[in-house]
Amino acid sequence: MTGTDDWLDELRALLGDSAVLTAAADTERYVSDWTGRFRGEALAVVRPASTAEVSEVVRRCAAARVAVVPQGGNTGLVGGGVPVATDGDGVGARPSVVLCLERMRAVRALDTVADTVTVEAGAVLADLHDAVAEVDRLFPVSLGSQGSCTVGGIVSTNAGGTSVLRYGMTRELVLGLEVVLPDGRVWDGLRALRKDNSGYDLKQLFVGAEGTLGVVTAATLRMVPATPRRATALLALSSVRTATDLLPVLRAAAGEQLTTWELFNRASLDLVLAHVPAARDPFARPYAWYGLVEVAGGGDEVDARLEAALADAVEAGGVPDAVVAGSPAQREVLWLLREGISEAQRVEGVAVKHDVSVPIASLAELVARLEERVPALLPGVRLITYGHVGDGNLHYNLSAPVEAPGSLLPASEELTAAVYAVVADLGGSISAEHGLGVLKRDAAAGLTAAVELDLMRAVKSALDPLGLMNPGKVLPDG
Ligand code: MLT
Ligand code: ZN
């Protein structure tokens, strides 16, 4: 792009110097990602402070044919929030800016009659939790990265997390959106209506679109009643089949208060015990699998429901041991064993991550088939298997063999192909909750019916005819 310096100077004049970062030391954390697998280049990182500023930046980018990479907390796991490397990835050397929403954090409105909150895209999820707790409500998306991920990010990736079992994915909690379209126009769709059948549901197009159709600048979200009482237990489990068989047992005993049913294997726990200082194994001996169950509500009934659920689980069999958190501090420690896995695995080096879902009844078969195939491809590979068993969603993550740390990444294509083949055979999805980004863009296209790809391309070219919104993500030719 010719005249880049002048163009950037104009942006500085518009937004202020501190809102346009170009020095490598300042931009590095925005152009590289948390997993250590993705890094790209950008002309600048632009940090607007209002929807009007986002609109003006996007309008100027469209005029100059500069691509826009929207970014929230940069906690994504598929390379969706950073620019693609200009050495390939299907998009060539297109100039781009990272458009970071981190300065737009305001809670614009809290309505305790309709139970809705309207909040800007850059608000950190944990801050949103705190804001709605002030009025005795809960915004029920809960993730390991909630201290850094943002509202715009969870909307744009349709984030899942550890309470999907009860409350659904982010999509089910979005009532309205404000979006800056690829030409710079602002779509004010911040409706708080529970019932609105006036035509196509446009907001849902932008949920999970990973910033490829526009920039989400604010959202109106549903709040639910606060659940100050949380009863939590860790169960030792003999198998994945035990975990899936227990789901209806737990649900029958705990009813709609069953909020979480998570699973992890011993190798996952070993990583947490090795790398998270506050972590302790609550059992006297190791077990193959562990299940974390939580029942949440307003009063003491949650303890009784958890007790009943545990009694039924033990009677059903396959549960050699269990511990119940006796205090909020003990509860935190049990959660740490599950939520610490992702970070603990990162400490061990770059992981090959898979975020797959299959019908819940097929989870045990998935794990059994992969346990045969994957180690045969890379002897010694560590299977860090964990996830949201209540949603049929496993993170079938791989770490390098201890003796051969350099052997994992060269084998990653073959390993991933083996995982995806079994997932496809079982009628599953290769992206349950993390999105496609760059990591899964091509593999997903290969597994998607031609008619679905045509529909997606039609949506993309209708909304973003210049192909400037987060290019190289989601669609192979997008
Ligand atoms: C989690 O559930 O902990 C994350 O979604 C998984 C991951 O980091 O791979
Ligand atoms: Zn997850």
Side-chain angles (χ1 to χ4, degrees):
M1 179 186 164
T2 52
T4 303
D5 290 344
D6 291 347
W7 188 79
L8 290 172
D9 281 346
E10 284 169 25
L11 278 187
R12 284 193 185 93
L14 177 76
L15 306 173
D17 284 351
S18 65
V20 182
L21 312 177
T22 49
D26 297 334
T27 59
E28 182 55 29
R29 74 183 177 92
Y30 301 89
V31 298
S32 51
D33 89 322
W34 186 88
T35 68
R37 285 194 81 171
F38 301 98
R39 194 183 179 291
E41 296 93 43
L43 298 176
V45 174
V46 184
R47 303 164 60 244
S50 66
T51 303
E53 287 187 357
V54 174
S55 161
E56 189 55 27
V57 170
V58 172
R59 196 185 63 73
R60 288 173 187 228
C61 286
R65 302 294 191 263
V66 169
V68 175
V69 180
Q71 189 180 94
N74 197 8
T75 59
L77 300 170
V78 291
V82 292
V84 288
T86 49
D87 59 358
D89 266 329
V91 292
R94 187 173 307 177
S96 62
V97 297
V98 173
L99 197 159
C100 183
L101 282 297
E102 67 192 352
R103 291 173 67 210
M104 292 183 60
R105 293 168 171 244
V107 173
R108 292 192 192 162
L110 259 174
D111 179 341
T112 53
V113 175
D115 270 344
T116 62
V117 55
T118 298
V119 59
E120 291 184 344
V124 169
L125 179 56
D127 293 341
L128 176 62
H129 290 161
D130 293 346
V132 304
E134 300 266 310
V135 292
D136 275 337
R137 300 293 190 279
L138 177 73
F139 176 67
V141 175
S142 178
L143 307 174
S145 59
Q146 63 199 25
S148 325
C149 73
T150 61
V151 166
I154 63 164
V155 168
S156 296
T157 55
N158 184 27
T162 50
S163 310
V164 172
L165 184 61
R166 179 166 178 183
Y167 299 106
M169 305 275 281
T170 301
R171 185 183 297 290
E172 285 157 71
L173 298 158
V174 174
L175 291 172
L177 290 181
E178 178 186 82
V179 181
V180 172
L181 301 171
D183 60 7
R185 283 180 299 161
V186 178
W187 173 51
D188 180 356
L190 283 177
R191 298 173 199 137
L193 304 173
R194 299 282 165 147
K195 302 181 84 172
D196 179 15
N197 274 349
S198 48
Y200 301 138
D201 193 349
L202 295 175
K203 65 179 180 292
Q204 292 296 354
L205 272 183
F206 298 96
V207 180
E210 302 182 41
T212 60
L213 301 177
V215 185
V216 172
T217 47
T220 298
L221 305 167
R222 281 174 48 209
M223 302 188 292
V224 299
T227 52
R229 290 289 295 198
R230 297 164 75 178
T232 312
L234 188 72
L235 282 61
L237 303 173
S238 57
S239 66
V240 178
R241 176 78 62 202
T242 308
T244 55
D245 285 351
L246 281 182
L247 178 60
V249 176
L250 298 174
R251 203 185 270 133
E256 60 170 25
Q257 291 190 327
L258 178 65
T259 307
T260 294
W261 181 222
E262 298 277 311
L263 178 74
F264 48 94
N265 67 355
R266 180 68 203 186
S268 304
L269 180 59
D270 281 339
L271 286 189
V272 176
L273 296 174
H275 298 298
V276 179
R280 299 277 172 277
D281 186 344
F283 299 115
R285 49 149 290 196
Y287 294 99
W289 294 92
Y290 302 88
L292 184 73
V293 58
E294 187 160 281
V295 180
D300 293 346
E301 78 284 355
V302 298
D303 300 295
R305 286 196 186 201
L306 179 68
E307 243 172 67
L310 289 186
D312 292 350
V314 170
E315 199 185 314
V319 184
D321 208 346
V323 285
V324 178
S327 66
Q330 284 177 11
R331 192 184 149 268
E332 294 290 313
V333 174
L334 292 187
W335 267 102
L336 198 58
L337 303 181
R338 164 62 185 90
E339 290 201 317
I341 300 170
S342 195
E343 175 64 35
Q345 189 176 23
R346 188 171 74 133
V347 177
E348 292 271 317
V350 172
V352 171
K353 284 175 176 275
H354 304 107
D355 162 38
V356 301
S357 61
V358 293
I360 298 180
S362 303
L363 268 181
E365 184 181 347
L366 173 82
V367 171
R369 283 168 68 176
L370 292 177
E371 271 173 6
E372 266 185 23
R373 296 186 67 169
V374 171
L377 294 171
L378 183 63
V381 66
R382 284 176 290 165
L383 310 177
I384 311 303
T385 310
Y386 64 101
H388 318 284
V389 64
D391 312 328
N393 173 198
L394 277 191
H395 300 302
Y396 199 82
N397 290 353
L398 309 177
S399 279
V402 178
E403 282 78 36
S407 63
L408 181 68
L409 286 183
S412 67
E413 252 178 62
E414 206 185 353
L415 292 165
T416 294
V419 174
Y420 289 175
V422 178
V423 169
D425 197 43
L426 293 172
S429 165
I430 64 162
S431 176
E433 61 169 4
H434 294 165
L436 299 179
V438 176
L439 183 66
K440 299 179 188 168
R441 177 192 65 191
D442 298 340
L447 292 167
T448 304
V451 67
E452 275 182 44
L453 275 177
D454 280 355
L455 287 171
M456 287 196 232
R457 287 192 182 108
V459 171
K460 172 73 177 170
S461 58
L463 271 77
D464 181 24
L466 299 175
L468 293 175
M469 272 298 145
N470 212 7
K473 317 294 168 58
V474 180
L475 286 167
D477 39 11

Short mmCIF file of all heavy atoms in Angstrom, two decimals, residues 338 388 395 433-434, ligand 2:
data_model
loop_
_atom_site.label_atom_id
_atom_site.label_comp_id
_atom_site.label_asym_id
_atom_site.label_seq_id
_atom_site.Cartn_x
_atom_site.Cartn_y
_atom_site.Cartn_z
N ARG A 338 -9.59 -28.79 37.09
CA ARG A 338 -10.16 -28.82 35.74
C ARG A 338 -9.72 -27.59 34.94
O ARG A 338 -9.26 -27.71 33.80
CB ARG A 338 -11.70 -28.88 35.84
CG ARG A 338 -12.44 -28.55 34.55
CD ARG A 338 -12.12 -29.52 33.41
NE ARG A 338 -12.74 -29.10 32.16
CZ ARG A 338 -12.19 -28.31 31.26
NH1 ARG A 338 -10.97 -27.83 31.45
NH2 ARG A 338 -12.83 -27.99 30.17
N HIS A 388 -16.01 -31.23 28.27
CA HIS A 388 -17.36 -30.96 28.74
C HIS A 388 -18.22 -32.18 28.41
O HIS A 388 -18.96 -32.18 27.42
CB HIS A 388 -17.86 -29.69 28.08
CG HIS A 388 -16.81 -28.61 28.02
ND1 HIS A 388 -16.45 -27.87 29.12
CD2 HIS A 388 -16.01 -28.16 27.01
CE1 HIS A 388 -15.50 -27.00 28.78
NE2 HIS A 388 -15.21 -27.17 27.51
N HIS A 395 -11.83 -32.11 24.60
CA HIS A 395 -10.59 -31.53 24.08
C HIS A 395 -9.60 -32.69 24.03
O HIS A 395 -9.07 -33.10 25.06
CB HIS A 395 -10.13 -30.39 24.97
CG HIS A 395 -11.17 -29.31 25.04
ND1 HIS A 395 -11.62 -28.68 23.91
CD2 HIS A 395 -11.88 -28.82 26.06
CE1 HIS A 395 -12.56 -27.81 24.24
NE2 HIS A 395 -12.74 -27.87 25.54
N GLU A 433 -16.52 -25.80 20.11
CA GLU A 433 -16.72 -24.51 20.79
C GLU A 433 -15.63 -23.49 20.52
O GLU A 433 -15.79 -22.33 20.88
CB GLU A 433 -16.87 -24.72 22.31
CG GLU A 433 -15.64 -25.37 22.96
CD GLU A 433 -15.66 -25.34 24.48
OE1 GLU A 433 -16.65 -24.90 25.07
OE2 GLU A 433 -14.64 -25.76 25.07
N HIS A 434 -14.53 -23.86 19.89
CA HIS A 434 -13.44 -22.89 19.71
C HIS A 434 -13.52 -22.13 18.40
O HIS A 434 -12.81 -21.14 18.23
CB HIS A 434 -12.08 -23.60 19.79
CG HIS A 434 -11.78 -24.18 21.14
ND1 HIS A 434 -10.79 -25.09 21.35
CD2 HIS A 434 -12.35 -23.96 22.34
CE1 HIS A 434 -10.76 -25.43 22.63
NE2 HIS A 434 -11.71 -24.76 23.24
ZN ZN B 2 -13.53 -26.16 26.54
#
